[in-house]
mmCIF file of all heavy atoms in Angstrom:
data_model
loop_
_atom_site.group_PDB
_atom_site.id
_atom_site.type_symbol
_atom_site.label_atom_id
_atom_site.label_comp_id
_atom_site.label_asym_id
_atom_site.label_seq_id
_atom_site.Cartn_x
_atom_site.Cartn_y
_atom_site.Cartn_z
ATOM 1 N N ALA A 46 0.957 -2.795 -15.835
ATOM 2 C CA ALA A 46 2.111 -3.709 -15.875
ATOM 3 C C ALA A 46 2.323 -4.193 -17.308
ATOM 4 O O ALA A 46 1.614 -5.081 -17.787
ATOM 5 C CB ALA A 46 1.876 -4.886 -14.926
ATOM 6 N N LYS A 48 4.255 -6.108 -18.622
ATOM 7 C CA LYS A 48 4.564 -7.522 -18.842
ATOM 8 C C LYS A 48 3.345 -8.303 -19.322
ATOM 9 O O LYS A 48 3.488 -9.333 -19.974
ATOM 10 C CB LYS A 48 5.158 -8.158 -17.581
ATOM 11 C CG LYS A 48 4.204 -8.220 -16.401
ATOM 12 C CD LYS A 48 4.808 -8.990 -15.251
ATOM 13 C CE LYS A 48 5.666 -8.116 -14.368
ATOM 14 N NZ LYS A 48 4.943 -7.044 -13.653
ATOM 15 N N ALA A 49 2.141 -7.826 -19.013
ATOM 16 C CA ALA A 49 0.935 -8.570 -19.418
ATOM 17 C C ALA A 49 0.720 -8.512 -20.927
ATOM 18 O O ALA A 49 0.281 -9.505 -21.546
ATOM 19 C CB ALA A 49 -0.287 -8.019 -18.680
ATOM 20 N N ASP A 67 4.256 0.195 -15.404
ATOM 21 C CA ASP A 67 5.058 -0.617 -14.490
ATOM 22 C C ASP A 67 5.907 -1.541 -15.345
ATOM 23 O O ASP A 67 5.372 -2.337 -16.118
ATOM 24 C CB ASP A 67 4.123 -1.417 -13.570
ATOM 25 C CG ASP A 67 4.833 -2.580 -12.895
ATOM 26 O OD1 ASP A 67 5.996 -2.418 -12.505
ATOM 27 O OD2 ASP A 67 4.216 -3.661 -12.759
ATOM 28 N N VAL A 69 9.406 -4.224 -15.929
ATOM 29 C CA VAL A 69 10.284 -5.174 -15.243
ATOM 30 C C VAL A 69 11.536 -5.494 -16.055
ATOM 31 O O VAL A 69 12.212 -6.481 -15.782
ATOM 32 C CB VAL A 69 9.563 -6.500 -14.885
ATOM 33 C CG1 VAL A 69 8.668 -6.314 -13.696
ATOM 34 C CG2 VAL A 69 8.822 -7.063 -16.063
ATOM 35 N N ALA A 90 10.582 -2.396 -11.648
ATOM 36 C CA ALA A 90 10.818 -3.437 -10.642
ATOM 37 C C ALA A 90 11.634 -4.577 -11.252
ATOM 38 O O ALA A 90 11.927 -4.566 -12.441
ATOM 39 C CB ALA A 90 9.486 -3.961 -10.127
ATOM 40 N N ARG A 137 11.041 -2.720 -2.188
ATOM 41 C CA ARG A 137 10.051 -3.790 -2.351
ATOM 42 C C ARG A 137 10.201 -4.732 -1.166
ATOM 43 O O ARG A 137 11.211 -5.426 -1.018
ATOM 44 C CB ARG A 137 10.258 -4.556 -3.647
ATOM 45 C CG ARG A 137 9.284 -5.734 -3.727
ATOM 46 C CD ARG A 137 9.201 -6.344 -5.073
ATOM 47 N NE ARG A 137 8.214 -7.423 -5.091
ATOM 48 C CZ ARG A 137 7.950 -8.142 -6.145
ATOM 49 N NH1 ARG A 137 8.579 -7.913 -7.272
ATOM 50 N NH2 ARG A 137 7.058 -9.103 -6.100
ATOM 51 N N ILE A 150 2.682 -18.271 -9.421
ATOM 52 C CA ILE A 150 2.425 -16.829 -9.519
ATOM 53 C C ILE A 150 2.132 -16.219 -8.140
ATOM 54 O O ILE A 150 1.459 -15.224 -8.000
ATOM 55 C CB ILE A 150 1.324 -16.486 -10.563
ATOM 56 C CG1 ILE A 150 0.090 -17.371 -10.405
ATOM 57 C CG2 ILE A 150 1.855 -16.596 -11.963
ATOM 58 C CD1 ILE A 150 -1.040 -17.022 -11.369
ATOM 59 N N THR A 152 4.052 -14.444 -5.095
ATOM 60 C CA THR A 152 5.345 -13.756 -5.010
ATOM 61 C C THR A 152 5.641 -13.182 -3.633
ATOM 62 O O THR A 152 6.759 -12.753 -3.380
ATOM 63 C CB THR A 152 5.386 -12.591 -6.021
ATOM 64 O OG1 THR A 152 4.179 -11.855 -5.898
ATOM 65 C CG2 THR A 152 5.524 -13.072 -7.433
ATOM 66 N N HIS A 185 7.042 -0.777 -1.481
ATOM 67 C CA HIS A 185 6.349 -1.495 -2.557
ATOM 68 C C HIS A 185 6.086 -2.941 -2.149
ATOM 69 O O HIS A 185 6.916 -3.566 -1.484
ATOM 70 C CB HIS A 185 7.244 -1.433 -3.809
ATOM 71 C CG HIS A 185 6.783 -2.280 -4.945
ATOM 72 N ND1 HIS A 185 7.580 -3.223 -5.543
ATOM 73 C CD2 HIS A 185 5.603 -2.329 -5.610
ATOM 74 C CE1 HIS A 185 6.911 -3.812 -6.525
ATOM 75 N NE2 HIS A 185 5.718 -3.284 -6.581
ATOM 76 N N HIS A 187 3.964 -6.709 -3.648
ATOM 77 C CA HIS A 187 3.163 -7.404 -4.674
ATOM 78 C C HIS A 187 3.077 -8.849 -4.224
ATOM 79 O O HIS A 187 4.096 -9.519 -4.088
ATOM 80 C CB HIS A 187 3.824 -7.299 -6.059
ATOM 81 C CG HIS A 187 3.129 -8.110 -7.103
ATOM 82 N ND1 HIS A 187 1.936 -7.711 -7.676
ATOM 83 C CD2 HIS A 187 3.429 -9.309 -7.651
ATOM 84 C CE1 HIS A 187 1.556 -8.638 -8.544
ATOM 85 N NE2 HIS A 187 2.434 -9.607 -8.555
ATOM 86 N N GLY A 189 1.145 -11.451 -5.593
ATOM 87 C CA GLY A 189 0.904 -12.529 -6.555
ATOM 88 C C GLY A 189 -0.080 -12.079 -7.615
ATOM 89 O O GLY A 189 -0.462 -10.913 -7.664
ATOM 90 N N SER A 190 -0.454 -13.015 -8.462
ATOM 91 C CA SER A 190 -1.276 -12.679 -9.621
ATOM 92 C C SER A 190 -2.495 -13.603 -9.694
ATOM 93 O O SER A 190 -2.494 -14.673 -9.076
ATOM 94 C CB SER A 190 -0.389 -12.854 -10.865
ATOM 95 O OG SER A 190 -0.936 -12.194 -11.965
ATOM 96 N N GLN A 191 -3.499 -13.182 -10.483
ATOM 97 C CA GLN A 191 -4.744 -13.952 -10.628
ATOM 98 C C GLN A 191 -5.338 -14.271 -9.249
ATOM 99 O O GLN A 191 -5.652 -15.417 -8.921
ATOM 100 C CB GLN A 191 -4.513 -15.215 -11.485
ATOM 101 C CG GLN A 191 -5.743 -16.084 -11.796
ATOM 102 C CD GLN A 191 -6.920 -15.283 -12.388
ATOM 103 O OE1 GLN A 191 -6.787 -14.167 -12.841
ATOM 104 N NE2 GLN A 191 -8.098 -15.852 -12.350
ATOM 105 N N GLY A 225 1.225 -2.973 -5.687
ATOM 106 C CA GLY A 225 1.359 -3.951 -6.771
ATOM 107 C C GLY A 225 0.063 -4.204 -7.512
ATOM 108 O O GLY A 225 -0.847 -3.365 -7.542
ATOM 109 N N GLY A 226 -0.013 -5.386 -8.120
ATOM 110 C CA GLY A 226 -1.206 -5.728 -8.905
ATOM 111 C C GLY A 226 -1.814 -7.013 -8.376
ATOM 112 O O GLY A 226 -1.832 -7.237 -7.173
ATOM 113 N N GLY A 227 -2.310 -7.843 -9.292
ATOM 114 C CA GLY A 227 -2.748 -9.166 -8.882
ATOM 115 C C GLY A 227 -4.227 -9.453 -8.992
ATOM 116 O O GLY A 227 -4.641 -10.604 -8.846
ATOM 117 N N LEU A 228 -5.049 -8.416 -9.233
ATOM 118 C CA LEU A 228 -6.493 -8.684 -9.299
ATOM 119 C C LEU A 228 -6.795 -9.693 -10.419
ATOM 120 O O LEU A 228 -6.343 -9.531 -11.550
ATOM 121 C CB LEU A 228 -7.239 -7.365 -9.549
ATOM 122 C CG LEU A 228 -8.753 -7.466 -9.723
ATOM 123 C CD1 LEU A 228 -9.437 -8.031 -8.482
ATOM 124 C CD2 LEU A 228 -9.349 -6.103 -10.073
ATOM 125 N N TYR A 232 -11.803 -16.510 -15.936
ATOM 126 C CA TYR A 232 -11.470 -17.300 -17.133
ATOM 127 C C TYR A 232 -12.608 -18.259 -17.491
ATOM 128 O O TYR A 232 -12.681 -18.722 -18.621
ATOM 129 C CB TYR A 232 -10.187 -18.114 -16.894
ATOM 130 C CG TYR A 232 -8.925 -17.275 -16.973
ATOM 131 C CD1 TYR A 232 -8.312 -16.776 -15.821
ATOM 132 C CD2 TYR A 232 -8.342 -16.966 -18.196
ATOM 133 C CE1 TYR A 232 -7.166 -16.004 -15.892
ATOM 134 C CE2 TYR A 232 -7.194 -16.187 -18.289
ATOM 135 C CZ TYR A 232 -6.614 -15.714 -17.136
ATOM 136 O OH TYR A 232 -5.478 -14.941 -17.217
ATOM 137 N N GLU A 265 -0.185 -1.538 -9.470
ATOM 138 C CA GLU A 265 0.420 -2.008 -10.727
ATOM 139 C C GLU A 265 -0.458 -3.121 -11.280
ATOM 140 O O GLU A 265 -0.232 -4.299 -10.996
ATOM 141 C CB GLU A 265 1.812 -2.597 -10.461
ATOM 142 C CG GLU A 265 2.783 -1.628 -9.848
ATOM 143 C CD GLU A 265 4.054 -2.302 -9.345
ATOM 144 O OE1 GLU A 265 4.053 -3.533 -9.162
ATOM 145 O OE2 GLU A 265 5.034 -1.608 -9.126
ATOM 146 N N LEU A 266 -1.478 -2.758 -12.025
ATOM 147 C CA LEU A 266 -2.397 -3.776 -12.532
ATOM 148 C C LEU A 266 -2.014 -4.173 -13.954
ATOM 149 O O LEU A 266 -1.758 -3.315 -14.800
ATOM 150 C CB LEU A 266 -3.827 -3.242 -12.519
ATOM 151 C CG LEU A 266 -4.425 -2.971 -11.140
ATOM 152 C CD1 LEU A 266 -5.817 -2.380 -11.263
ATOM 153 C CD2 LEU A 266 -4.472 -4.248 -10.307
ATOM 154 N N GLY A 267 -1.994 -5.456 -14.206
ATOM 155 C CA GLY A 267 -1.691 -5.949 -15.549
ATOM 156 C C GLY A 267 -2.884 -6.704 -16.114
ATOM 157 O O GLY A 267 -3.722 -6.158 -16.843
ATOM 158 N N ARG A 268 -3.010 -7.939 -15.672
ATOM 159 C CA ARG A 268 -4.027 -8.839 -16.201
ATOM 160 C C ARG A 268 -5.434 -8.244 -16.203
ATOM 161 O O ARG A 268 -6.144 -8.313 -17.206
ATOM 162 C CB ARG A 268 -4.029 -10.116 -15.351
ATOM 163 C CG ARG A 268 -4.961 -11.189 -15.839
ATOM 164 C CD ARG A 268 -5.104 -12.327 -14.811
ATOM 165 N NE ARG A 268 -3.889 -12.675 -14.150
ATOM 166 C CZ ARG A 268 -3.089 -13.688 -14.477
ATOM 167 N NH1 ARG A 268 -3.413 -14.477 -15.478
ATOM 168 N NH2 ARG A 268 -1.981 -13.928 -13.793
ATOM 169 N N SER A 269 -5.842 -7.661 -15.073
ATOM 170 C CA SER A 269 -7.236 -7.222 -14.951
ATOM 171 C C SER A 269 -7.582 -6.127 -15.954
ATOM 172 O O SER A 269 -8.745 -5.958 -16.313
ATOM 173 C CB SER A 269 -7.518 -6.748 -13.524
ATOM 174 O OG SER A 269 -6.569 -5.772 -13.149
ATOM 175 N N ARG A 304 0.136 -20.670 -20.957
ATOM 176 C CA ARG A 304 -0.440 -20.692 -19.606
ATOM 177 C C ARG A 304 -0.998 -22.063 -19.196
ATOM 178 O O ARG A 304 -0.730 -22.515 -18.087
ATOM 179 C CB ARG A 304 -1.528 -19.613 -19.452
ATOM 180 C CG ARG A 304 -1.008 -18.191 -19.716
ATOM 181 C CD ARG A 304 -1.977 -17.118 -19.272
ATOM 182 N NE ARG A 304 -2.079 -17.052 -17.841
ATOM 183 C CZ ARG A 304 -3.045 -17.557 -17.128
ATOM 184 N NH1 ARG A 304 -4.081 -18.130 -17.731
ATOM 185 N NH2 ARG A 304 -3.039 -17.484 -15.821
ATOM 186 N N TYR A 308 0.914 -23.381 -16.001
ATOM 187 C CA TYR A 308 0.218 -23.222 -14.713
ATOM 188 C C TYR A 308 -1.040 -24.096 -14.613
ATOM 189 O O TYR A 308 -1.868 -23.856 -13.751
ATOM 190 C CB TYR A 308 -0.240 -21.771 -14.499
ATOM 191 C CG TYR A 308 0.734 -20.699 -14.903
ATOM 192 C CD1 TYR A 308 0.457 -19.858 -15.976
ATOM 193 C CD2 TYR A 308 1.912 -20.501 -14.186
ATOM 194 C CE1 TYR A 308 1.332 -18.846 -16.339
ATOM 195 C CE2 TYR A 308 2.787 -19.504 -14.556
ATOM 196 C CZ TYR A 308 2.500 -18.676 -15.621
ATOM 197 O OH TYR A 308 3.357 -17.680 -15.983
ATOM 198 N N ALA A 361 -3.789 -11.103 -21.747
ATOM 199 C CA ALA A 361 -2.749 -10.963 -20.721
ATOM 200 C C ALA A 361 -1.906 -12.230 -20.690
ATOM 201 O O ALA A 361 -2.454 -13.345 -20.619
ATOM 202 C CB ALA A 361 -3.373 -10.729 -19.350
ATOM 203 N N TYR A 362 -0.600 -12.071 -20.733
ATOM 204 C CA TYR A 362 0.334 -13.190 -20.640
ATOM 205 C C TYR A 362 0.086 -14.244 -21.722
ATOM 206 O O TYR A 362 0.255 -15.432 -21.497
ATOM 207 C CB TYR A 362 0.290 -13.807 -19.224
ATOM 208 C CG TYR A 362 0.487 -12.785 -18.138
ATOM 209 C CD1 TYR A 362 -0.559 -12.418 -17.270
ATOM 210 C CD2 TYR A 362 1.702 -12.138 -17.999
ATOM 211 C CE1 TYR A 362 -0.380 -11.444 -16.289
ATOM 212 C CE2 TYR A 362 1.884 -11.163 -17.011
ATOM 213 C CZ TYR A 362 0.846 -10.824 -16.170
ATOM 214 O OH TYR A 362 1.028 -9.856 -15.205
ATOM 215 N N MET A 366 4.204 -14.017 -23.947
ATOM 216 C CA MET A 366 4.938 -15.207 -23.502
ATOM 217 C C MET A 366 5.145 -16.204 -24.640
ATOM 218 O O MET A 366 5.565 -17.340 -24.418
ATOM 219 C CB MET A 366 4.195 -15.878 -22.328
ATOM 220 C CG MET A 366 4.195 -15.043 -21.066
ATOM 221 S SD MET A 366 3.342 -15.822 -19.674
ATOM 222 C CE MET A 366 4.601 -16.959 -19.083
HETATM 223 N N1 LLP B 401 3.709 -5.910 -10.171
HETATM 224 C C1 LLP B 401 4.634 -6.859 -10.010
HETATM 225 C C2 LLP B 401 5.799 -6.571 -9.193
HETATM 226 C C3 LLP B 401 4.463 -8.107 -10.631
HETATM 227 O O1 LLP B 401 5.382 -9.045 -10.461
HETATM 228 C C4 LLP B 401 3.316 -8.351 -11.414
HETATM 229 C C5 LLP B 401 3.118 -9.631 -12.091
HETATM 230 C C6 LLP B 401 2.372 -7.320 -11.568
HETATM 231 C C7 LLP B 401 2.598 -6.105 -10.924
HETATM 232 C C8 LLP B 401 1.133 -7.455 -12.406
HETATM 233 O O2 LLP B 401 0.313 -8.442 -11.882
HETATM 234 P P1 LLP B 401 -1.165 -8.686 -12.489
HETATM 235 O O3 LLP B 401 -2.025 -7.482 -12.140
HETATM 236 O O4 LLP B 401 -1.031 -8.886 -13.936
HETATM 237 O O5 LLP B 401 -1.615 -9.920 -11.786
HETATM 238 N N2 LLP B 401 2.536 -15.162 -16.420
HETATM 239 C C9 LLP B 401 1.654 -15.341 -15.293
HETATM 240 C C10 LLP B 401 1.530 -14.108 -14.461
HETATM 241 C C11 LLP B 401 2.853 -13.591 -13.937
HETATM 242 C C12 LLP B 401 2.691 -12.350 -13.120
HETATM 243 C C13 LLP B 401 4.017 -11.799 -12.747
HETATM 244 N N3 LLP B 401 3.976 -10.588 -12.015
HETATM 245 C C14 LLP B 401 0.297 -15.815 -15.821
HETATM 246 O O6 LLP B 401 0.151 -15.985 -17.022
HETATM 247 O O7 LLP B 401 -0.615 -16.061 -15.034
#
Side-chain angles (χ1 to χ4, degrees):
K48 65 174 86 65
D67 163 39
V69 284
R137 175 167 182 181
I150 47 177
T152 47
H185 172 235
H187 174 76
S190 198
Q191 183 52 16
L228 177 61
Y232 284 97
E265 300 169 342
L266 294 177
R268 184 190 321 262
S269 53
R304 301 193 70 259
Y308 319 113
Y362 307 111
M366 292 181 80

